[in-house]
Amino acid sequence: MKVLSVNAGSSTLKFQLFEMPEESVLIQGSFERIGEVGSFYTIRINGEKIKKEVDLKNHGVAFEILVNELIENNIVNSLEDIKAVGHRVVQGGSYFDKSVVITDDVIGKIDELKPLAPLHNPAAITGIKAAIEVFKDAVQVAVFDTAFHQTMPKYNYLYPVPYSWYEDYSVRKYGAHGTSHKYVSERLNNILGKTDTKLIICHIGSGCSITAIENGKCINTSMGLTPNAGLMMGTRCGDIDASIIPYISKKANMSLDMIDHVLNKESGLLAISTHNDSRDIEDGINNGEERCILAQKMFVRKVVDYIAKYYVELNGVDAIAFTAGIGENSIMTRKDIMEELKVLSVVMDEDKNNTRGKEVLITKPESKIACYVIPTNEELMIAKDTYNLV
Ligand code: AMP
């Protein structure tokens, strides 16, 4: 069965078409600058990348072009061959603890949750509506980034702020990257050959989150009401003293919007090292640049802090996984983290750690906790959830 996995942004549309249940990728690509001048799309097919400049008025036009490409490349005979479309939705609030078939009610709820994801949820609705128009007979499924974290106990998702903020304004921890955490934890359970496991998944890329998982269920995660919580990230500050906000507002005469922008786009690794990409920070460290050394120390410290917290919360851990851009590729960052975990009897295998983008065990057999690199695959997870619902 052919299942289309879709990630719609306000001016982008990323897609992968899977043959399920084989999980093979038939075609993948993205439409960019939709509704803007200079729009184009790229498609990767049979190892070849094609880029075409076209006028993309809206997401519907993008889907129509995609269908034509699929037919021209003999991937499908007709539109009807695509039986299901899975859509990434960033915020599912407390409504959705799993992926669901899209109905008017589901669209209404995604819309209602806009204040919690002002950029992402409206874009998802645009993508969903366009897909419904084009793929009229396909089952449409919503896969939420927050759903996997809905199993957190209340004492973990509530903030110690007035209870009415939770009741009246839905202020609580929702987490993010849930599709990635779910994929990697399932993969890890497959490797371990059991499901009654205690896992810590470190999704560290330009956005970073760590999740504690027991018996396949999330019990705690580092992102919060928004993705700007928990770890230090590429440009986000993560956890800070909340009182910094009114203090700096008065001292620097900055509006809340300005501060919010700085904390999301001009903080994190970028603020400390002047780079938001860990490759540049690694270069800086190798050149002895102090601010890069400092940024890396801060970043690693925060990752280790969360691993330590979740180790205690889980009452021990079977395995730790590193995923996303930094987790999959930064040999230096994984090494720095595992050095700090020696106290938990983690014994790194330096040769095995010397790898990028591959699934591999990076600790020695005598290590008390097994550490793995597991490349994430959110698109496949969306396709799997969609296929299972169909
Ligand atoms: P993501 O958001 O998961 O796509 O991760 C993107 C981030 O991964 C980049 O900003 C880099 O910080 C990091 N990254 C990607 N490739 C490498 C690499 N080869 N070495 C170190 N860091 C990398």
Side-chain angles (χ1 to χ4, degrees):
M1 183 200 283
K2 291 180 176 56
V3 176
L4 185 63
S5 176
V6 170
N7 183 354
S10 54
S11 64
T12 58
L13 188 74
K14 295 186 186 139
F15 63 88
Q16 279 192 29
L17 184 68
F18 289 89
E19 187 69 55
M20 298 298 286
E22 295 81 357
E23 302 183 0
S24 51
V25 179
L26 301 173
I27 188 169
Q28 61 183 304
S30 62
F31 292 87
E32 291 178 47
R33 304 182 65 88
I34 299 172
E36 298 171 7
V37 279
S39 51
F40 66 94
Y41 67 95
T42 52
I43 288 187
R44 192 181 293 274
I45 183 168
N46 299 330
E48 202 193 330
K49 197 170 170 187
I50 305 160
K51 179 176 174 186
K52 290 185 187 168
E53 283 172 26
V54 282
D55 188 19
L56 298 168
K57 249 196 346 247
N58 53 44
H59 288 68
V61 173
F63 279 127
E64 278 162 13
I65 291 174
L66 173 59
V67 171
N68 289 338
E69 285 282 359
L70 295 176
I71 294 173
E72 271 172 32
N73 285 289
N74 296 319
I75 291 169
V76 299
N77 293 320
S78 73
L79 193 89
E80 286 74 33
D81 284 357
I82 295 171
K83 300 291 182 212
V85 184
H87 298 265
R88 175 180 185 228
V89 183
V90 163
Q91 183 54 263
S94 300
Y95 288 130
F96 302 104
D97 60 2
K98 54 181 170 305
S99 302
V100 291
V101 172
I102 296 173
T103 59
D104 286 347
D105 179 56
V106 170
I107 295 178
K109 290 199 166 90
I110 297 171
D111 189 56
E112 194 189 310
L113 292 164
K114 266 187 325 207
L116 295 174
L119 296 178
H120 294 101
N121 272 26
I125 293 176
T126 306
I128 290 168
K129 287 188 171 164
I132 291 172
E133 275 293 307
V134 175
F135 305 99
K136 289 192 171 60
D137 296 326
V139 180
Q140 308 281 339
V141 170
V143 179
F144 300 92
D145 260 8
T146 48
F148 184 64
H149 303 304
Q150 279 294 305
T151 46
M152 271 187 290
K154 195 166 190 173
Y155 56 81
N156 276 345
Y157 72 66
L158 270 195
Y159 291 109
V161 294
Y163 203 78
S164 59
W165 292 9
Y166 166 61
E167 289 179 315
D168 298 342
Y169 308 115
S170 308
V171 171
R172 51 156 287 182
K173 186 193 271 198
Y174 294 103
H177 295 147
T179 312
S180 172
H181 286 288
K182 185 176 177 207
Y183 174 82
V184 175
S185 59
E186 285 184 3
R187 188 69 215 115
L188 200 43
N189 277 344
N190 272 341
I191 294 169
L192 298 174
K194 51 185 183 172
T195 50
D196 55 338
T197 52
K198 295 173 180 189
L199 311 175
I200 294 177
I201 310 295
C202 306
H203 177 115
I204 46 178
S206 44
C208 303
S209 65
I210 298 196
T211 295
I213 298 166
E214 187 163 21
N215 304 332
K217 289 197 167 33
C218 167
I219 61 162
N220 210 346
T221 193
S222 62
M223 279 181 170
L225 173 76
T226 75
N228 196 2
L231 302 167
M232 176 176 181
M233 310 182 210
T235 62
R236 295 187 194 123
C237 59
D239 291 346
I240 57 166
D241 178 346
S243 296
I244 291 173
I245 296 166
Y247 174 80
I248 207 72
S249 175
K250 286 184 203 125
K251 279 281 179 193
N253 192 26
M254 286 171 79
S255 69
L256 285 180
D257 281 348
M258 284 159 78
I259 296 173
D260 192 45
H261 175 86
V262 171
L263 296 181
N264 275 285
K265 306 269 187 210
E266 296 173 11
S267 297
L269 292 171
L270 177 67
I272 303 300
S273 73
T274 72
H275 306 291
N276 65 358
D277 191 306
S278 74
R279 283 164 287 204
D280 298 329
I281 294 171
E282 287 182 21
D283 288 345
I285 292 169
N286 291 332
N287 293 331
E289 286 174 34
E290 258 176 51
R291 295 276 290 265
C292 289
I293 296 167
L294 177 63
Q296 177 76 354
K297 275 211 156 80
M298 289 171 70
F299 183 84
V300 168
R301 176 81 266 135
K302 282 158 207 302
V303 172
V304 172
D305 283 353
Y306 267 94
I307 292 175
K309 274 204 248 198
Y310 291 164
Y311 178 89
V312 172
E313 186 164 1
L314 286 163
N315 195 15
V317 172
D318 296 307
I320 296 173
F322 296 100
T323 194
I326 298 175
E328 292 168 27
N329 298 300
S330 176
I331 295 164
M332 180 190 280
T333 305
R334 288 195 307 255
K335 184 177 171 186
D336 289 350
I337 293 168
M338 283 188 291
E339 286 286 339
E340 294 278 323
L341 297 179
K342 273 184 180 162
V343 66
L344 300 179
S345 304
V346 166
V347 187
M348 177 180 54
D349 185 323
E350 190 129 15
D351 287 341
K352 297 270 179 58
N353 185 49
N354 212 355
T355 184
R356 298 186 205 277
K358 271 197 303 218
E359 189 175 289
V360 59
L361 173 66
I362 53 175
T363 42
K364 293 195 168 158
E366 63 267 30
S367 183
K368 205 169 149 211
I369 305 171
C371 297
Y372 288 85
V373 175
I374 300 192
T376 193
N377 195 338
E378 288 160 282
E379 298 76 16
L380 175 58
M381 195 69 243
I382 291 171
K384 279 169 95 167
D385 267 12
T386 304
Y387 176 74
N388 289 337
L389 272 172
V390 177

